[in-house]
Amino acid sequence: MKNIIYNLETKVERTLNILKNNIMKIKFIPILIILFLLQACTLEKEEFNKITPENFYKTEKDARLAIAALYYNSITKVGTWSPGLFVQSINSVQIITDISAGDMMMCSYGAQPWDFLKNQEWTESNGYATNNFFHYYNHISNARLVANQIGQMTTVSEEMKEQLQAEAMAVGGWKAAILYDLYGPVPYPTDEMLANPGSLEYPERPSNEAFVEIIESLFAKKDKLPDTDFGNNFGRMNKGIANFILMRVYMLEAARTGDANFWKKAKTSAEAIIASGAYELQDNYSDVFKKSNQKNNEIVFATPSDYSFNVNMWHSESLPNNYPSELNRGAGSWGGYKMLWSFYDTYEANDQRLSTIAASYTTDGGLLIDRAHPNDDRHGVGDGAIPVKYDTDDTQVGNFQEHDFIAYRYAEVILAMAEILNEIGESATVSAPAISQITNDNQIVTSDGGTTAFSFVNAIRARSGLQPLQGLGQSQLRDAILRERGHEMYCEGVRRADLIRYQRMTNGGGYAKFNADPNKFLFPIPVGYINEYKGNLQQNPGY
């Protein structure tokens, strides 16, 4: 619009010049008309392409649009085929952290960066995808700025302002929690620094204890968030998501510090989710990931699929190019993600979750591909079993399937509850789901629906057609819960954090790759940010 106005002014000026140059020749036009034209064509410039406090945040819709923008750079581009691309997505965190755990997943695309990631060979100057998420620290400030601007609005009720501010701050808390898990504390500007972005001030990294308090402060108004909504607000912050994020943070801190008070805080958060009554386990594990069952009540948080900006490319990324065409591959499949055979072999033979993992398949040409006849590392099963996870999408467009990409699930809350209760030796104030399931050999297994650690872990096992655990000591049950978490939530981004947390619990006594170098518990801060802060941002130990 600005350009249109300038062009119009230019044309008017040219017209007036022509009239002025020929005015003596056009003697029959009164001078008065010329003067009128000169006055009438004077235009004032008005800019329509800037958002300022004077023209925005005037209505509730304005505020909601600003909040929606906070989500945009976190859920877009679910595809993760290269660690260097599509890194905005929260789902990229899932696959990168599961591969970096070292014992569960790999990618068959090639040695660099994927094998380096699996083998934990990243360094300060060679991030190998570990450097992709540090930019979230800017997102925290963006969320705070939006919340502050909403606080200055005079056109909405105080109740609505509090709800909108709670959502904006919760998005910031979500990013802060992700960063704390991956990098430890990150710089956190004061309110004065945010109000004066032109001043060159570099906030230092807070302590772990201070940063956990910061995360808690960002969720201080979580009770003002809406209840769980599986309708129009699906995929936006609500009480369940806020409590889920805090539950994870408190479990991390409990293991890091040995402070039982954090286990109790985690217990409170988990119990709030269960007591809400908003969530339930689906009848079968595979039901959770079916396109026909999207927005099911086991989902705590998912990024909604939308071909215009948020696409799920799981099948294209994971399936070999000779996988049977009944799973619509659209533009083809790239044979990427694999579950390591060493991890696959930890499943019990009759575990119904194995139905979502392909250990063998028959090509359209009738060729059987299995461990004895792997065909190829990438386009076969040489590197491992294939994590199919999601079901067929008959309407898939090219590489893009229409499944929502699931980030957080109620099953994790149930297993977290088992872990928490086992660590503090308490019972819950809420009951575990009472599950009855027919096993693969037509037996019936059940869970008791009680309030003990066994009640919660056995709910997950029963849903998978497995016999309940019983008679285990604390250390044995701890190991069983870790194994159950891996089997239940493969490719959902929990394995790295689980191994770190459990190693701390066992005093470094034995969980896979993280034993070699405790400094790998945190990713390195990208060198570019260290340079930008001119010495005011300290690198993580060991880099």
Side-chain angles (χ1 to χ4, degrees):
M1 178 64 74
K2 182 177 176 182
N3 291 335
I4 292 174
I5 292 173
Y6 276 122
N7 290 337
L8 180 57
E9 287 183 307
T10 301
K11 291 178 179 178
V12 169
E13 289 172 1
R14 288 174 179 171
T15 301
L16 292 176
N17 286 334
I18 292 171
L19 288 173
K20 287 177 184 177
N21 292 334
N22 294 282
I23 194 164
M24 296 304 294
K25 299 177 183 179
I26 314 175
K27 297 181 179 180
F28 58 88
I29 301 178
I31 298 299
L32 183 61
I33 295 177
I34 302 298
L35 293 174
F36 175 77
L37 287 174
L38 287 170
Q39 184 176 8
C41 291
T42 301
L43 299 179
E44 293 185 6
K45 288 182 280 189
E46 185 176 355
E47 296 181 324
F48 295 92
N49 61 346
K50 289 185 179 179
I51 294 176
T52 68
E54 289 70 35
N55 66 13
F56 198 54
Y57 284 60
K58 293 300 183 184
T59 67
E60 178 185 334
K61 182 178 179 181
D62 291 345
R64 291 193 181 279
L65 287 171
I67 293 171
L70 298 176
Y71 293 94
Y72 183 77
N73 284 332
S74 311
I75 65 173
T76 54
K77 301 301 182 188
V78 169
T80 55
W81 60 270
S82 168
L85 298 176
F86 303 157
V87 297
Q88 306 288 357
S89 168
I90 189 62
N91 307 109
S92 302
V93 176
Q94 290 184 311
I95 194 64
I96 286 173
T97 54
D98 268 0
I99 290 176
S100 71
D103 75 330
M104 173 190 277
M105 300 293 299
M106 71 170 296
C107 184
S108 297
Y109 293 161
Q112 187 173 350
W114 295 103
D115 282 352
F116 289 94
L117 187 64
K118 180 177 74 70
N119 296 331
Q120 297 185 337
E121 295 174 343
W122 59 78
T123 66
E124 178 179 343
S125 57
N126 292 293
Y128 299 128
T130 63
N131 59 1
N132 288 342
F133 309 105
F134 194 80
H135 65 280
Y136 277 180
Y137 91 97
N138 282 326
H139 297 190
I140 305 171
S141 295
N142 291 343
R144 292 169 62 199
L145 288 168
V146 169
N148 290 342
Q149 188 70 24
I150 290 171
Q152 298 174 34
M153 294 179 67
T154 59
T155 55
V156 297
S157 68
E158 288 301 313
E159 181 180 2
M160 178 56 65
K161 278 167 62 173
E162 283 196 315
Q163 181 178 321
L164 294 169
Q165 283 183 303
E167 183 177 4
M169 295 296 278
V171 175
W174 172 39
K175 302 299 182 61
I178 293 170
L179 288 168
Y180 185 58
D181 175 29
L182 299 180
Y183 302 98
V186 298
Y188 190 80
T190 64
D191 288 339
E192 291 74 20
M193 290 179 184
L194 288 181
N196 297 282
S199 61
L200 291 177
E201 294 185 77
Y202 299 98
E204 295 183 359
R205 300 179 71 183
S207 66
N208 289 74
E209 292 73 19
F211 199 74
V212 170
E213 291 178 359
I214 286 170
I215 294 173
E216 290 179 312
S217 72
L218 292 168
F219 287 107
K221 295 184 177 182
K222 64 182 173 65
D223 289 339
K224 299 294 183 181
L225 291 169
D227 294 323
T228 301
D229 186 348
F230 292 94
N232 293 334
N233 289 322
F234 182 78
R236 297 185 70 141
M237 281 291 159
N238 56 50
K239 292 186 176 102
I241 298 172
N243 280 314
F244 188 102
I245 294 166
L246 286 170
M247 175 192 76
R248 278 190 172 183
V249 171
Y250 292 143
M251 291 174 70
L252 172 64
E253 280 303 278
R256 186 185 70 83
T257 64
D259 186 346
N261 287 320
F262 282 112
W263 286 120
K264 293 181 183 297
K265 285 186 171 185
K267 180 174 181 279
T268 298
S269 297
E271 287 179 334
I273 297 170
I274 296 168
S276 72
Y279 306 99
E280 62 181 4
L281 296 179
Q282 297 299 287
D283 291 340
N284 299 288
Y285 181 79
S286 59
D287 290 346
V288 183
F289 308 97
K290 288 181 177 178
K291 181 186 169 186
S292 61
N293 197 31
Q294 293 196 125
K295 298 181 176 59
N296 63 74
N297 286 15
E298 187 167 330
I299 299 171
V300 175
F301 175 58
T303 62
S305 178
D306 185 314
Y307 288 137
S308 66
F309 75 97
N310 187 45
V311 292
N312 189 329
M313 299 168 63
W314 187 264
H315 287 159
S316 287
E317 292 168 347
S318 61
L319 299 183
N321 60 13
N322 55 9
Y323 202 80
S325 59
E326 62 190 43
L327 246 93
N328 186 348
R329 294 188 306 275
S333 295
W334 309 326
Y337 307 142
K338 298 291 193 306
M339 177 182 285
L340 299 176
W341 286 119
S342 54
F343 188 84
Y344 180 88
D345 289 339
T346 64
Y347 280 83
E348 296 175 49
N350 57 346
D351 193 325
Q352 294 177 355
R353 291 172 292 208
L354 290 172
S355 67
T356 64
I357 306 166
S360 64
Y361 60 94
T362 302
T363 69
D364 288 340
L367 178 65
L368 173 65
I369 295 177
D370 57 17
R371 293 176 75 167
H373 311 89
N375 184 66
D376 185 66
D377 287 345
R378 180 169 176 176
H379 295 294
V381 295
D383 280 340
I386 303 161
V388 179
K389 201 77 174 183
Y390 296 89
D391 72 340
T392 302
D393 179 7
D394 293 330
T395 63
Q396 181 170 323
V397 177
N399 298 119
F400 305 151
Q401 60 200 78
E402 203 174 0
H403 295 81
D404 295 337
F405 208 121
I406 298 171
Y408 306 147
R409 286 196 291 123
Y410 187 52
E412 183 176 344
V413 179
I414 301 302
L415 287 170
M417 201 73 202
E419 182 178 333
I420 293 163
L421 298 177
N422 185 52
E423 293 305 318
I424 61 179
E426 292 183 3
S427 295
T429 61
V430 292
S431 298
I435 302 295
S436 179
Q437 183 72 288
I438 299 175
T439 68
N440 288 344
D441 55 1
N442 292 317
Q443 303 297 311
I444 296 178
V445 292
T446 61
S447 65
D448 62 19
T451 59
T452 70
F454 284 98
S455 301
F456 284 90
V457 70
N458 284 335
I460 299 299
R461 286 181 59 81
R463 200 259 297 266
S464 300
L466 301 175
Q467 294 294 329
L469 301 174
Q470 55 187 345
L472 302 179
Q474 185 188 46
S475 179
Q476 293 172 311
L477 183 55
R478 181 184 292 146
D479 290 347
I481 293 169
L482 174 64
R483 183 169 57 251
E484 209 62 45
R485 286 178 64 90
H487 293 168
E488 176 71 20
M489 294 177 289
Y490 76 89
C491 295
E492 294 180 51
V494 303
R495 188 62 177 176
R496 169 193 162 275
D498 282 359
L499 293 181
I500 292 172
R501 190 173 69 253
Y502 269 67
Q503 186 177 35
R504 287 169 176 163
M505 289 177 180
T506 57
N507 297 317
Y511 283 102
K513 297 288 186 177
F514 286 102
N515 288 339
D517 183 1
N519 291 316
K520 298 294 185 177
F521 285 2
L522 295 176
F523 289 162
I525 295 175
V527 174
Y529 291 96
I530 300 289
N531 294 338
E532 179 185 333
Y533 268 68
K534 304 183 186 307
N536 293 295
L537 179 59
Q538 296 299 311
Q539 181 59 274
N540 284 327
Y543 296 102

